[in-house]
Amino acid sequence: MREIFGGFGHLLRGVGILLKRPRLFLLGALPAVFVWLVFLGLFVALVFNIEDLVGWATPFASDWDDLWQGLVRGGISVVALVGAFLVFVVSFTTVTLAVGAPVYDKIGELVEEELGGAPEEPDESLTASVLRAIRQSVVIVLVSLAVTLLVFLIGLVPFVGWIAGPVLAAVTGGWLLGIELVANAFDRRGLLRLKDRHRSMSTRRLRVLGFTVPTYFLLAVPFLAVVVFPAATAGATMLARDLLPAAPPETQPENEKA
């Protein structure tokens, strides 16, 4: 229980740190607002144009009987809308972190400086960093979609699935969220692979889930997610510092020690 509450405490401490700097808190909320509005606009546009899009995509059904044509095109429309909604949900965090990268980097650096022992930036070109981030984001989104589909199928199993589905969604969704949130802190320490984050997080699973699962549920609330994002970024930096050993102090030459 100490590990679980310790993980949740990182989120609360993140809120406390940013409340001292309201401008940075508000600035950190802007990427989430922007992405949420863009996703909402895209989904509304899809809803209003879904009939034309499905008609264009199914020319083979133009000469069918009205009943069968309506059933097929209606079914495709529902699947398309549900699929688009799921893509928006699972990619919201990834896209927000990408859009707000400069702001969230600043928040992470602020936490590092306040706690002391901030590492130096790794020697990586901007192009390599961007390509790596895009590749990793695509992997995380694809895994999230696969998990979402798996949770849906498990949820179809009576009784057992109704309990196991939500639990699996919370744990796996929180874990993937944690992999994304600690990215900046790990990158600053030269640990650039998804495997590095997963391996370090596995050493203290309860602390990680104590932080990521509540954050996962809070970010699922659209308006609340706007203010949770910057606090979660600060908390994830503190979590990463718990997971990674501190850099050893530099040894001084013998003549300097004297």
Side-chain angles (χ1 to χ4, degrees):
M1 294 302 293
R2 178 183 297 177
E3 283 288 278
I4 293 174
F5 284 115
F8 183 65
H10 287 319
L11 180 61
L12 299 180
R13 289 175 64 194
V15 174
I17 288 176
L18 289 178
L19 284 178
K20 301 175 186 176
R21 298 166 179 83
R23 289 186 180 180
L24 188 58
F25 205 158
L26 293 175
L27 187 62
L30 290 180
V33 174
F34 174 77
V35 173
W36 188 82
L37 290 176
V38 169
F39 278 9
L40 179 62
L42 290 174
F43 189 75
V44 170
L46 179 63
V47 170
F48 280 101
N49 293 279
I50 190 67
E51 184 176 349
D52 294 336
L53 289 173
V54 172
W56 170 80
T58 56
F60 55 84
S62 300
D63 298 328
W64 289 8
D65 182 77
D66 290 343
L67 175 61
W68 288 108
Q69 182 187 95
L71 288 174
V72 170
R73 288 183 171 175
I76 293 175
S77 298
V78 172
V79 170
L81 290 174
V82 172
F85 179 77
L86 289 177
V87 170
F88 288 164
V89 169
V90 301
S91 63
F92 175 73
T93 299
T94 302
V95 174
T96 301
L97 290 173
V99 170
V103 178
Y104 299 133
D105 284 347
K106 182 64 178 177
I107 292 175
E109 292 172 6
L110 171 69
V111 175
E112 298 272 20
E113 292 172 1
E114 181 158 323
L115 298 179
E120 296 183 1
E121 292 291 333
D123 185 15
E124 184 183 26
S125 67
L126 178 61
T127 301
S129 176
V130 170
L131 291 177
R132 176 177 55 80
I134 292 174
R135 183 177 66 253
Q136 292 177 347
S137 296
V138 170
V139 170
I140 291 174
V141 169
L142 291 178
V143 172
S144 298
L145 287 172
V147 169
T148 301
L149 178 60
L150 177 62
V151 168
F152 173 75
L153 295 176
I154 292 176
L156 297 178
V157 180
F159 303 113
V160 175
W162 299 340
I163 299 175
V167 171
L168 179 62
V171 172
T172 57
W175 191 265
L176 292 171
L177 173 64
I179 289 178
E180 292 186 277
L181 288 176
V182 301
N184 289 338
F186 273 67
D187 290 351
R188 279 191 289 271
R189 290 161 173 81
L191 301 171
L192 307 178
R193 302 176 302 171
L194 292 175
K195 185 185 298 185
D196 295 327
R197 300 178 223 166
H198 176 73
R199 183 169 55 245
S200 295
M201 290 166 59
S202 297
T203 61
R204 303 186 70 175
R205 295 178 185 274
L206 291 179
R207 178 164 290 254
V208 170
L209 293 175
F211 170 75
T212 59
V213 171
T215 304
Y216 173 80
F217 282 116
L218 291 173
L219 289 178
V221 182
F223 296 104
L224 191 58
V226 170
V227 296
V228 170
F229 252 110
T233 302
T237 303
M238 289 181 278
L239 175 64
R241 291 170 64 95
D242 273 358
L243 300 176
L244 298 171
E250 296 183 1
T251 56
Q252 294 179 316
E254 291 297 328
N255 58 352
E256 290 185 11
K257 290 182 180 179

